[in-house]
Amino acid sequence: SVRGYYSRVTPMSRVQMSVGAAAPHAAAREALALVPRAVRERFYGCGEPLPAGIEGLRVLDLGCGAGRDCYVAARLVGAGGEVVGVDMTDEQLRVARESVAEYARALGYQPHLRFAKGYIEFLGQVPGLYAGSIDLCISNSAVNLSPNKELVLRGVFDVLKEGGEFHFSDIYADRRLPPHVRSHPALLGESVGGALYTEDFRRLCQRVGFADVRMASAPAPVRIDAPDLRDLVGATRFHSITFRLFKFARAQSALEPTREDYGQVAVYRGTVAGQHARVRFDTHWAFEAHRPVLVDGNTALMLGESWLRRHFDVRGDRSRHFGAFAAPAAPGDLDDDAALQRRGHVPLPTPYFISGLRRAASPEPSAPVSRRSSPAPEAVHAPAPRRELRDHPATFPRLSSFSISQSNVRSDLPPASRQPPPPLHTSESFSFAASGSRFVMPASRVGSSYKGSAPQSASALPRFVPPPPPQQSPHASPPVNQRPTPPMPFAMVAPPPAPASAPAGRSPLSSAIMSV
């Protein structure tokens, strides 16, 4: 059984697993440094389920074990708060109780910290716990140990106050586990055998009464290092996830199944210790101090009607509905180029993205350029980082494939790209002409449907001829508004004339031209 497993387990005898859990916040790290070593060595959690700013709250820890999270919570709630740890294992509770005096000396005061034996499925039977008596309930890799998780969630829902929170970490799977995995003793003891499929867990929470399930941090991968157990679980992927569940049972303040827009605004007051400038609520919301943020109705209720109301000022009510709430932007610094590229948002130098930006004035005088002209290929720059777009010389290719007016596309070209193009039929026009030859296709090979084509001849074969000299004056240049037509990759010439005698008065060359 699970109780027997944790009665005889030691840090060296546990199944080797790797959990990429997030680091605790600054206040929790300071408190953790004061926890006695005997308690820290018997920690079997998979996450950090302790929020910051919980001074004066009454906290309940489900499946506390040796009590590491209870000790940290006792420091966070201060002398005015209370922490209760519940566990079913006598050996773990003995270690937890023996270290309270040592911890009190480190704190400098006697904390309101106690440990009680009980089952997390029957919280009503634990002395000192009654309906509506807890502000914050935490748990670290203990709910998966229960064979009846719905009963655990219902018990937590009952003991929480209106607006109370269940903040806990556990292991979840990306699929439903087969029976041979759910019944393995070692996997059960390590909270892997009891891992729920994530979507099944969400539906279970909504059935109990926690309508809006929030993820406090990104899922952390869990790797099983034991080869035999890794083969047993197969391709199943496990993650450590910290969830936030809020209790709102009253009809006038019930959470909705979808996120709706009521025009409500939340302002973080900057009162959480160690997070005065910015605080994160979940994976979607991070609040900067004293900055109003438009939030959905459920988020406004969680921030304004729970224990978090001491840290947030929520403005507005639900008297007017504006429809479904648009999904919030991904948290983080939106000016961070690396973060934008990781999310797939790559800044592109298009007229739509930087329509309000103009390139810096060029020190060289330039002649007027037609609005319909297109820049040279070498004038098109690669996408620049977001911070450099303000001064980036934005030049765009011809947008003939877009259904927009060409006159709306501004052509701000450097002076070098506004020079007239090179003359046609020269070695400067195309790279294939640099060798001094062009591909020549006889007119008889074009096709019989071509009117005026010469009769077929055995000598009508493709050949290469040197390019003709330029026909343009060296002082003449094409108008700027006129876009030159590129030369064809081959020229059509007539085949050599037949050796028959030419009519009187005509030369062989003129006869060949007339035949074409």
Side-chain angles (χ1 to χ4, degrees):
S1 64
V2 174
R3 182 171 61 179
Y5 179 84
Y6 279 93
S7 297
R8 61 180 181 272
V9 69
T10 62
M12 299 301 297
S13 64
R14 294 191 63 196
V15 175
Q16 297 301 315
M17 295 174 52
S18 302
V19 181
H25 51 82
R29 288 197 300 268
E30 294 176 1
L32 187 59
L34 303 176
V35 176
R37 180 178 180 181
V39 174
R40 294 199 310 266
E41 289 180 348
R42 289 179 172 265
F43 173 67
Y44 307 128
C46 65
E48 299 295 335
L50 276 169
I54 60 174
E55 297 83 358
L57 298 186
R58 192 164 190 245
V59 180
L60 171 65
D61 187 4
L62 302 184
C64 63
R68 194 207 74 160
D69 289 339
C70 291
Y71 280 83
V72 176
R75 167 70 183 273
L76 298 180
V77 299
E82 181 185 0
V83 179
V84 180
V86 176
D87 200 270
M88 63 179 179
T89 309
D90 294 328
E91 179 62 25
Q92 300 288 341
L93 291 175
R94 182 188 61 81
V95 177
R97 289 168 178 157
E98 288 177 350
S99 304
V100 174
E102 179 183 351
Y103 191 59
R105 290 192 296 269
L107 293 178
Y109 60 89
Q110 184 65 34
H112 298 282
L113 173 63
R114 68 184 182 92
F115 298 92
K117 183 178 179 179
Y119 295 92
I120 61 177
E121 296 89 352
F122 307 103
L123 295 178
Q125 302 176 4
V126 178
L129 294 183
Y130 51 89
S133 61
I134 298 298
D135 298 299
L136 174 66
C137 182
I138 64 174
S139 178
N140 203 336
S141 192
V143 177
N144 278 357
L145 301 178
S146 173
N148 195 334
K149 299 174 180 57
E150 182 174 354
L151 196 58
V152 175
L153 293 176
R154 292 192 182 276
V156 173
F157 192 86
D158 291 338
V159 300
L160 285 177
K161 296 179 180 179
E162 181 71 11
E165 180 188 359
F166 186 22
H167 195 121
F168 66 105
S169 303
D170 229 316
I171 297 177
Y172 297 88
D174 65 345
R175 66 197 71 186
R176 298 184 179 99
L177 300 180
H180 69 276
V181 175
R182 290 189 278 110
S183 60
H184 194 278
L187 294 178
L188 276 175
E190 296 298 332
S191 298
V192 174
L196 284 178
Y197 171 47
T198 309
E199 298 305 318
D200 288 345
F201 170 75
R202 292 180 181 273
R203 285 186 282 267
L204 176 61
C205 293
Q206 294 170 357
R207 186 164 63 247
V208 169
F210 297 109
D212 195 347
V213 180
R214 297 297 179 95
M215 193 178 295
S217 60
V222 176
R223 188 184 65 184
I224 301 176
D225 296 330
D228 53 340
L229 297 181
R230 189 166 59 245
D231 294 339
L232 186 66
V233 299
T236 304
R237 295 183 179 180
F238 298 92
H239 292 85
S240 172
I241 306 177
T242 301
F243 283 108
R244 307 190 75 160
L245 309 178
F246 288 85
K247 174 186 176 180
F248 290 100
R250 299 172 186 171
Q252 63 271 19
S253 61
L255 295 172
E256 299 180 283
T258 57
R259 301 186 182 183
E260 304 298 328
D261 188 1
Y262 296 97
Q264 295 171 290
V265 174
V267 182
Y268 171 49
R269 295 171 178 163
T271 54
V272 175
Q275 304 180 29
H276 297 291
R278 187 171 179 267
V279 67
R280 181 178 299 279
F281 176 66
D282 58 12
T283 54
H284 290 288
W285 296 103
F287 296 90
E288 184 181 348
H290 311 296
R291 182 176 184 177
V293 179
L294 181 67
V295 296
D296 60 275
N298 285 356
T299 302
L301 193 62
M302 295 175 184
L303 299 177
E305 300 296 333
S306 69
W307 67 270
L308 289 166
R309 59 181 174 269
R310 67 177 74 178
H311 304 298
F312 286 88
D313 178 22
V314 178
R315 305 166 187 174
D317 52 26
R318 296 192 178 189
S319 59
R320 178 170 296 182
H321 183 229
F322 297 98
F325 188 83
D333 188 2
L334 296 181
D335 294 329
D336 185 7
D337 296 332
L340 285 173
Q341 293 181 2
R342 283 195 302 269
R343 301 185 194 115
H345 304 290
V346 180
L348 300 177
T350 62
Y352 309 97
F353 182 72
I354 49 176
S355 59
L357 304 180
R358 295 292 182 265
R359 64 167 298 197
S362 175
E364 302 179 11
S366 58
V369 183
S370 170
R371 298 169 69 92
R372 290 182 176 272
S373 62
S374 299
E378 61 271 10
V380 181
H381 300 274
R386 186 185 183 97
R387 297 188 184 95
E388 300 178 4
L389 284 176
R390 186 173 289 106
D391 300 325
H392 184 69
T395 55
F396 314 111
R398 186 181 180 92
L399 302 179
S400 57
S401 61
F402 293 88
S403 59
I404 61 174
S405 173
Q406 292 276 343
S407 61
N408 293 334
V409 181
R410 182 169 178 172
S411 178
D412 295 333
L413 306 181
S417 63
R418 288 193 286 266
Q419 299 299 327
L424 300 179
H425 306 294
T426 65
S427 60
E428 300 178 0
S429 57
F430 285 90
S431 59
F432 68 84
S435 60
S437 62
R438 289 186 303 115
F439 183 74
V440 177
M441 175 65 74
S444 60
R445 298 289 295 274
V446 176
S448 59
S449 61
Y450 176 74
K451 295 182 179 180
S453 61
Q456 297 291 336
S457 174
S459 61
L461 298 176
R463 56 193 176 89
F464 288 87
V465 298
Q471 303 294 332
Q472 214 169 354
S473 172
H475 302 287
S477 60
V480 177
N481 295 343
Q482 179 181 357
R483 185 173 181 177
T485 303
M488 298 179 63
F490 60 87
M492 292 184 298
V493 300
S501 59
R506 295 184 184 177
S507 63
L509 178 61
S510 62
S511 300
I513 295 176
M514 291 301 295
S515 64
V516 174

